[in-house]
């Protein structure tokens, strides 16, 4: 076995990266440690329309559970704010089917897929990555490759082995738990978010509809004495509905890694920290970065240049596309981190009583007059 490109991780980022590499006529292998692509699910399935636009795909109807028109934000004191901002409009997808559909597309483009195979190490010669060592069916195999793409998620071993990351600061990891539930009383076109220290300390609760009475109900937490599942059980105790699936997982919300490439290696998706620090959403960013990773890896092979300096164009390119948004989102996260329940109540009240399309000078003055504490928090961040 010998490949031009080896992709470690076979979910959304790995499938997109391998698809875009295979489209360019190089030999690609995607390695996944689980026996099935897409499970266990670690996602609520929410994507903006930009996801499919980036991949130049029509949204496949069979993957769409709900089309989303807006969202309700629930303040800790119970006040609600309904928004139909176009940025929120999109889909709730059946995530395990999406990952499988992308893997199938990738295989059809030429990618070989190796399942139940865990990458244990990188082959490194004179500082250049030259392949991977894999445990598969009880054996350790050496698989040489010209380039390795780490799409192996939040706990990326490729990032560690390539010396690009040492693990996340606990403040930058959000721990999530989610139930898929049926028999719920929900609006199938509206997302719901609940905020408050007693509900989800350091995070938020989401209800993402998957049709008329079905939804992913989940939350992420960063502080507090109890686990995500404790808070989730507490939250759903007031809902009428039955649980049909449990999903758990961590999300990196500290922003992108300082460096996402090295000699013969690229990182993408959660492995690279390509996740929105406020929402914890990673799929739309994976569409941008993983397609670039696959394309640039193949170009490096074709141009016979696998050096770190050639591969740096990957980071330049993804920064050009999403770098500013991620930096802005990090600032917003710092803002939310500094807000207590009282300030969150003020914010939702403010959103309800003002046209918040843009923070005009007038609205800033109004904010300073009516909600001085909230204004001070905003002023320190913006
Ligand atoms: C509960 C929850 C809800 C979320 N909801 C949303 C949402 O609604 N919208 C959104 O956009 N984002 C959401 N996210 C974030 C989103 O799921 C991630 O950003 C996205 O899944 C990242 O995809 P990935 O392919 O980079 O990594 P992963 O999905 O983590 O895939 C990595 C893959 O690599 C494999 N792997 C790991 N190590 C190895 C190894 N050594 N050898 C071989 N294979 C390996 C793993 O088995 C896994 O299949 C959510 C996350 C969680 C936890």
């Amino acid at each position: 076995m010998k490949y031009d490109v080896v992709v470690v991780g076979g979910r959304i980022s790995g499938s997109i990266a391998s698809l875009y590499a295979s489209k360019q006529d190089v030999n690609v292998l995607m390695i996944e440690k689980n026996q099935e692509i897409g499970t266990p699910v670690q996602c609520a399935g929410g994507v903006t329309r930009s996801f499919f636009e980036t991949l130049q795909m029509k949204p496949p109807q069979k993957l769409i559970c709900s089309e989303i028109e807006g969202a309700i934000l629930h303040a800790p004191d119970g006040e609600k704010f309904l928004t139909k901002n176009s940025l929120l409009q999109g889909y709730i997808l059946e995530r395990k089917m999406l990952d499988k559909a992308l893997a199938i597309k990738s295989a059809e483009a030429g990618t070989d897929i190796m399942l139940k195979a865990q990458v244990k190490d990188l082959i490194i010669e004179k500082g250049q990555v030259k392949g991977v060592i894999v445990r598969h069916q009880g054996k350790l195999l050496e698989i040489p490759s010209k380039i390795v793409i780490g799409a192996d998620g939040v706990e990326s071993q490729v990032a560690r082995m390539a010396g690009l990351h040492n693990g996340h600061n606990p403040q930058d990891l959000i721990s999530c738990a989610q139930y898929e539930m049926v028999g719920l009383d929900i609006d199938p076109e509206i997302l719901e978010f609940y905020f408050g220290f007693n509900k989800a300390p350091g995070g938020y609760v989401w209800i993402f509809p998957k049709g008329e009475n079905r939804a992913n109900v989940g939350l992420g937490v960063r502080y507090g004495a109890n686990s995500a599942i404790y808070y989730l059980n507490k939250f759903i105790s007031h809902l009428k509905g039955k649980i049909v699936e449990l999903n758990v997982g961590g999300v990196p919300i500290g922003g992108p890694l300082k460096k996402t490439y090295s000699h013969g290696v690229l990182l993408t998706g959660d492995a690279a920290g390509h996740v929105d620090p406020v929402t914890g959403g990673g799929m739309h960013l994976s569409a941008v970065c993983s397609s670039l990773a696959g394309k640039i890896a193949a170009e490096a092979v074709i141009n016979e240049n696998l050096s770190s300096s050639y591969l740096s164009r990957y980071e330049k390119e993804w920064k050009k596309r999403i770098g500013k948004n991620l930096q802005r989102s990090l600032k917003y996260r710092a803002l939310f981190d500094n807000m207590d329940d009282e300030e969150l109540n003020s914010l939702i009240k403010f959103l309800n009583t003002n046209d918040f399309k843009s923070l005009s000078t007038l609205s800033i003055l109004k904010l300073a007059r009516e909600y001085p504490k909230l204004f001070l928090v905003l002023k320190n961040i913006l």
Side-chain angles (χ1 to χ4, degrees), residues 8-14 31-34 42-47 95 117-119 151-154 157 176 178 206 208 248-251 268-271 275 280-284:
V8 185
R11 282 207 211 142
I12 193 164
S13 304
I31 302 175
E32 168 53 52
K33 75 175 175 197
N34 292 325
Q42 290 175 307
C43 189
V47 276
R95 172 71 196 263
Q118 185 169 10
V119 170
D152 49 341
V154 57
Q157 292 305 306
C176 303
Q178 169 178 278
W206 64 81
F208 282 12
V248 291
V251 182
T268 189
D270 279 15
V275 174
M283 287 201 275
H284 59 304

Side-chain angles (χ1 to χ4, degrees), residues 28 46 62 100 107 131-132 139 144 166 176 207 219 230 232 234 250 260 310 312 314 321 325 347 354 365:
V28 184
K62 63 176 186 212
K100 185 77 176 275
V132 292
K139 288 189 193 135
N166 280 328
C176 303
I207 299 182
L219 53 77
Y230 165 87
L232 182 58
K234 198 165 116 186
T260 54
Y310 184 93
S312 67
Y314 164 61
R321 305 264 299 270
N325 288 351
L347 179 62
N354 288 271
L365 289 174

Side-chain angles (χ1 to χ4, degrees), residues 224-240:
N226 294 298
S227 62
I229 197 83
Y230 165 87
Y231 287 101
L232 182 58
N233 286 334
K234 198 165 116 186
F235 181 80
I236 65 152
S237 63
H238 78 271
L239 298 181
K240 238 181 22 191

Side-chain angles (χ1 to χ4, degrees), residues 65-239:
C65 304
S66 272
E67 291 204 27
I68 299 304
E69 290 302 323
I72 297 175
L73 312 183
H74 296 260
D77 65 1
E79 179 150 355
K80 298 178 201 175
F81 171 66
L82 169 69
T83 167
K84 296 216 169 168
N85 187 308
S86 61
L87 287 175
L88 286 161
Q89 293 170 358
Y91 309 99
I92 303 302
L93 305 175
E94 193 59 72
R95 172 71 196 263
K96 54 189 144 209
M97 281 169 67
L98 171 74
D99 289 9
K100 185 77 176 275
L102 289 168
I104 289 171
K105 252 182 174 300
S106 182
E108 284 170 351
T111 303
D112 287 339
I113 299 178
M114 195 177 191
L115 294 165
K116 221 165 186 286
Q118 185 169 10
V119 170
K120 302 299 273 184
D121 215 340
L122 296 175
I123 304 170
I124 303 179
E125 289 170 16
K126 294 184 187 151
Q128 181 78 24
V129 171
K130 299 263 179 166
V132 292
I133 298 174
V134 181
R135 179 170 290 286
H136 183 52
Q137 296 175 353
K139 288 189 193 135
L140 274 185
L141 306 175
E142 281 203 9
I143 305 180
S145 75
K146 293 178 181 158
I147 189 157
V148 173
I149 299 179
D152 49 341
V154 57
E155 301 290 347
S156 175
Q157 292 305 306
V158 174
R160 279 175 196 265
M161 294 181 300
L164 292 169
H165 195 43
N166 280 328
H168 295 279
N169 175 337
Q171 289 304 303
D172 291 333
L173 256 192
I174 188 147
S175 167
C176 303
Q178 169 178 278
Y179 288 127
E180 181 177 339
M181 297 182 72
V182 294
L184 295 170
D185 182 15
I186 48 163
D187 182 333
E189 295 180 345
I190 300 290
L191 306 173
E192 293 196 60
F193 298 96
Y194 291 78
F195 303 95
F197 193 81
N198 290 328
K199 289 197 175 71
Y204 62 85
V205 179
W206 64 81
I207 299 182
F208 282 12
K210 292 183 88 175
E212 286 297 327
N213 307 104
R214 190 161 68 102
N216 285 327
V217 182
L219 53 77
V221 296
R222 274 186 298 146
Y223 325 113
N226 294 298
S227 62
I229 197 83
Y230 165 87
Y231 287 101
L232 182 58
N233 286 334
K234 198 165 116 186
F235 181 80
I236 65 152
S237 63
H238 78 271
L239 298 181

Side-chain angles (χ1 to χ4, degrees), residues 249-308:
V251 182
I253 54 165
L257 302 194
K258 280 206 180 79
K259 197 168 168 225
T260 54
Y261 64 94
S262 185
H263 305 277
V265 181
L266 298 176
L267 300 177
T268 189
D270 279 15
H274 291 150
V275 174
D276 184 301
V278 170
T279 64
M283 287 201 275
H284 59 304
L285 302 176
S286 169
V288 174
C289 301
S290 304
S291 55
L292 280 172
K295 182 173 162 280
I296 289 170
E299 284 167 6
V301 170
I302 292 162
N303 292 323
E304 296 181 10
N305 189 347
L306 308 157
S307 65
S308 182

